[in-house]
Amino acid sequence: MAPKPFRQMYEEKYMRFPQGACKAVTLSYDDGVQADKRLIAILNKYGLRGTFNLNSVLFDCPDWHNRMNEEETYATFSEGAHEVALHGARHIFLNKVPLPEAMREVVLNREYLEKKFARIVNGMAYAYNGFNEEIKKGLAMLGVKYARTTANTHSFALPEDFLEWNPTCHHREECFGELTEKFLNSNPLSEFKHRESLLFFLWGHAYEFDDDNNWEIIENFAQKIASAKDIWLATCGEVCDYVNAYKSLVFSLDGERVYNPSAIPVWLELRGKTYKIEPAQTVLFDED
Ligand SMILES: [Zn+2]
């Protein structure tokens, strides 16, 4: 039998998103403002999915960037494809109050949103980017699965730490259009060494589109992303759950057998072939 050819850099395993996609897009918008309705209409038109980070005791503050009242907030987010997430009860810097008070902010916020929307609410965006290591530990104890920062990476890498999830960019940044093109033009499958799947994580506040009179930039983004192929459109929570399911895969020592203990199917690429591993299924990879 002829010896197998040497295939350096060919044995690595890469997470693929649902349906084997190499790219994903998610959006995270803050504060529960009137302009969220227009943003949601655009996302729905193009099939994009977003996460909306809401406070719970600021419904009667319309002067603060035109926030929605309680009824409007419920009506806007109670149905539809978008995620509701935590943003603190009162939109305070969690790192500028005693830790118990910071935790109370999150507990009250979570309790309110879960009761109001009758769903599990365990994603978050830090108000004013206020956090520290202690707060991250506290959030983990409260069952918060991820928390978004405002530290724009200008990259499409997935986070090392979901409780410090740095987004790709804010829509107000000059590089937004350039990054969009770069994302659309990149193809992990044509890479030799760096075949990691890519995530475009956009964030902002919907009222900024009114303030800047530039709704067309988000409509253009949504239209371009929607017309590209093989991009998974997901909420932040879905991205987090999916990555955690991938990370939970159990491999044999030689890496040739994999078991998916999670409740969702997971896609993986090895030696140029993409595998779908069903929940509770064990798969033996093909030799080539
Ligand atoms: Zn905010």
Side-chain angles (χ1 to χ4, degrees):
M1 199 169 87
K4 284 188 179 175
F6 181 62
R7 291 182 305 194
Q8 193 187 13
M9 306 307 295
Y10 202 50
E11 299 296 330
E12 286 76 8
K13 297 173 176 72
Y14 293 99
M15 184 192 77
R16 294 295 171 234
F17 292 117
Q19 315 311 322
C22 298
K23 300 186 209 176
V25 170
T26 193
L27 295 90
S28 174
Y29 276 74
D30 297 355
D31 299 347
V33 294
Q34 292 287 345
D36 284 349
K37 296 177 199 168
R38 186 165 172 186
L39 177 58
I40 286 173
I42 292 171
L43 300 184
N44 290 347
K45 180 176 168 188
Y46 295 101
L48 271 68
R49 318 276 309 289
T51 293
F52 290 84
N53 306 294
L54 309 177
N55 306 115
S56 36
V57 295
L58 297 173
F59 297 115
D60 298 316
C61 305
D63 295 342
W64 190 352
H65 297 302
N66 222 353
R67 282 170 179 265
M68 287 186 265
N69 67 30
E70 197 170 2
E71 292 72 37
E72 287 175 302
T73 304
Y74 180 71
T76 303
F77 300 109
S78 60
E79 285 174 25
H82 310 288
E83 179 187 11
V84 162
L86 310 165
H87 202 40
R90 298 171 294 175
H91 204 288
I92 63 171
F93 283 91
L94 296 183
N95 57 339
K96 296 189 185 188
V97 295
L99 188 60
E101 187 181 346
M103 294 300 100
R104 181 174 174 269
E105 273 293 300
V106 180
V107 168
L108 291 178
N109 192 200
R110 183 170 178 188
E111 203 164 43
Y112 172 87
L113 292 174
E114 290 195 336
K115 205 170 277 181
K116 191 78 186 171
F117 292 97
R119 59 177 93 157
I120 295 169
V121 180
N122 57 355
M124 178 160 162
Y126 294 113
Y128 304 124
N129 204 37
F131 71 97
N132 55 34
E133 288 303 316
E134 263 193 319
I135 286 164
K136 282 165 55 180
K137 279 182 205 154
L139 293 182
M141 285 185 237
L142 295 180
V144 175
K145 66 182 176 184
Y146 74 83
R148 196 212 76 221
T149 74
T150 62
N152 306 315
T153 63
H154 300 165
S155 95
F156 310 124
L158 287 154
E160 297 278 316
D161 178 358
F162 270 108
L163 290 174
E164 192 173 339
W165 191 356
N166 302 322
T168 302
C169 82
H170 186 290
H171 71 252
R172 256 182 174 167
E173 291 186 281
E174 256 181 49
C175 58
F176 173 38
E178 202 181 303
L179 283 169
T180 304
E181 293 306 318
K182 187 179 171 190
F183 180 75
L184 290 169
N185 293 330
S186 52
N187 178 10
L189 297 182
S190 66
E191 298 287 333
F192 178 53
K193 288 183 178 175
H194 303 291
R195 294 169 69 84
E196 281 80 8
S197 294
L198 308 175
L199 172 71
F200 197 116
F201 187 172
L202 184 69
W203 79 281
H205 308 86
Y207 61 79
E208 292 159 338
F209 298 117
D210 278 333
D211 290 355
D212 302 338
N213 194 23
N214 64 353
W215 280 97
E216 74 283 356
I217 66 167
I218 194 68
E219 177 123 23
N220 289 343
F221 174 76
Q223 192 266 327
K224 281 182 179 175
I225 295 296
S227 53
K229 279 185 186 145
D230 299 329
I231 297 181
W232 183 41
L233 307 173
T235 66
C236 299
E238 287 168 340
V239 172
C240 178
D241 287 344
Y242 185 82
V243 172
N244 285 333
Y246 181 82
K247 285 180 177 170
S248 79
L249 290 176
V250 179
F251 294 90
S252 60
L253 184 62
D254 67 1
E256 292 301 323
R257 200 181 297 269
V258 62
Y259 166 61
N260 178 5
S262 82
I264 53 178
V266 168
W267 281 257
L268 174 152
E269 187 207 324
L270 172 66
R271 297 190 283 261
K273 182 173 174 182
T274 300
Y275 295 83
K276 179 183 182 184
I277 304 134
E278 299 284 358
Q281 190 191 25
T282 299
V283 167
L284 182 64
F285 298 121
D286 297 341
E287 280 188 23
D288 348 75

